[in-house]
Amino acid sequence: MQMKGSVEQRLARWLWVGIGAALVVLPALPIARWVGASDQGPVWTLNISAWGIGVLIVAFAGALAGRLASKVALAPRWKLRLPPVPAVGGLAVALTAAALYAMVVLFAGNPHLVDEIAQLFHARAFAAGRLAAPVPQPAEAFLMLNTGIVNGAWTSIYPPGHTVLLALGLLSGAEWLVNPLLGGIGTVLIYAVARGLYGPRTGIVAAFLWAASAWVIFLSASYVSHVSATVLALAAWAAVFRPKRPATWHFVLAGLALAAAASVRPLDGAAAAVPLLVWTMLR
């Protein structure tokens, strides 16, 4: 048994070295394509390669790290003895509070990216009971990036899912609260997914890493649709991965969550369906 533990520890060490090396090297691979590149139109190749690298990191490094965390024993002094409900609930509240601080104090509740501006503009039309804003005159003096006029309707270029959530926030006078709340909900969903796949200890660690991520905090302090698409994808995964034996209604719930994610960011909704499809086929 001691020999087996020693082998496991050595394997764990090299797996972590490999994961760390992948996290350092893979994101830097597109740099060679950027150097000396001329303007030849849309950079689809770079976008696809960057998206593929992200998938590799999440799918392989994440799976290895999760499996490793559930199999390799920690030293007794490092064993987690936190009750899951207050621990995860506290992390969710902390993330929401941090995102609210960044949104209200650092960003003054203002959108900063053209994506945010366009979706907030369209959300105001929704909140006013319109599907689109009236066309301004003269149009060329008012049009902004990521919006367009089609058949006499002035809209953003984005699918309506996230815009509807922002419109609900506008109707309640708290559009600045939408993404911070979604970030907090994501903490709970991350825990549910990781616990279903790897156990409660990994679930708490995953929730902590989510809540402590600067990327998650600052994205949750914005108005962009990435947060709602991610949370809806996590809801679909949690519906299937969390139960030991998912029933039919779990898959129905997952399907609804994936459809909602597709109404926010269609490609993200399709990508989120792939792990569920593979998991279902391999069961």
Side-chain angles (χ1 to χ4, degrees):
M1 294 298 293
Q2 185 176 2
M3 179 63 69
K4 181 179 179 181
S6 176
V7 171
E8 286 183 346
Q9 292 298 331
R10 287 200 300 271
L11 177 62
R13 186 181 303 112
W14 285 108
L15 279 176
W16 281 117
V17 169
I19 291 171
L23 292 174
V24 171
V25 173
L26 287 178
L29 292 181
I31 291 177
R33 296 292 304 277
W34 298 335
V35 177
S38 59
D39 185 5
Q40 299 178 353
V43 288
W44 292 111
T45 304
L46 288 177
N47 289 335
I48 292 172
S49 64
W51 189 82
I53 288 170
V55 170
L56 285 174
I57 292 174
V58 173
F60 293 99
L64 282 174
R67 177 59 63 184
L68 191 61
S70 66
K71 292 298 183 183
V72 177
L74 297 174
R77 61 179 179 176
W78 292 106
K79 286 186 177 179
L80 287 172
R81 300 187 182 277
L82 297 174
V85 173
V88 176
L91 289 170
V93 171
L95 172 57
T96 300
L100 275 175
Y101 176 84
M103 167 69 85
V104 176
V105 178
L106 301 182
F107 301 150
N110 295 319
H112 288 76
L113 300 175
V114 66
D115 310 49
E116 302 173 83
I117 295 171
Q119 291 185 86
L120 268 177
F121 152 77
H122 201 177
R124 294 188 184 281
F126 281 5
R130 298 171 175 267
L131 292 178
V135 179
Q137 295 298 331
E140 57 271 16
F142 295 92
L143 284 180
M144 57 185 176
L145 288 174
N146 293 4
T147 67
I149 297 175
V150 178
N151 297 328
W154 188 15
T155 69
S156 72
I157 64 174
Y158 299 98
H162 185 67
T163 308
V164 169
L165 295 178
L166 291 177
L168 293 175
L170 287 167
L171 289 172
S172 63
E175 69 280 4
W176 42 267
L177 189 57
V178 172
N179 273 4
L181 280 179
L182 288 174
I185 294 170
T187 307
V188 178
L189 294 173
I190 279 282
Y191 169 77
V193 173
R195 173 167 183 163
L197 291 174
Y198 302 116
R201 182 179 64 186
T202 302
I204 293 178
V205 172
F208 171 79
L209 293 175
W210 169 274
S213 169
W215 182 87
V216 174
I217 292 171
F218 284 106
L219 208 60
S220 298
S222 71
Y223 295 97
V224 295
S225 60
H226 304 67
V227 181
S228 54
T230 301
V231 169
L232 288 167
L234 288 172
W237 294 352
V240 175
F241 294 153
R242 175 61 182 88
K244 291 183 178 180
R245 293 182 177 84
T248 301
W249 71 270
H250 290 111
F251 288 98
V252 171
L253 184 61
L256 292 174
L258 288 174
S263 75
V264 176
R265 298 176 67 85
L267 289 179
D268 289 8
V274 173
L276 292 179
L277 179 61
V278 172
W279 183 86
T280 303
M281 293 175 61
L282 295 178
R283 287 191 70 212

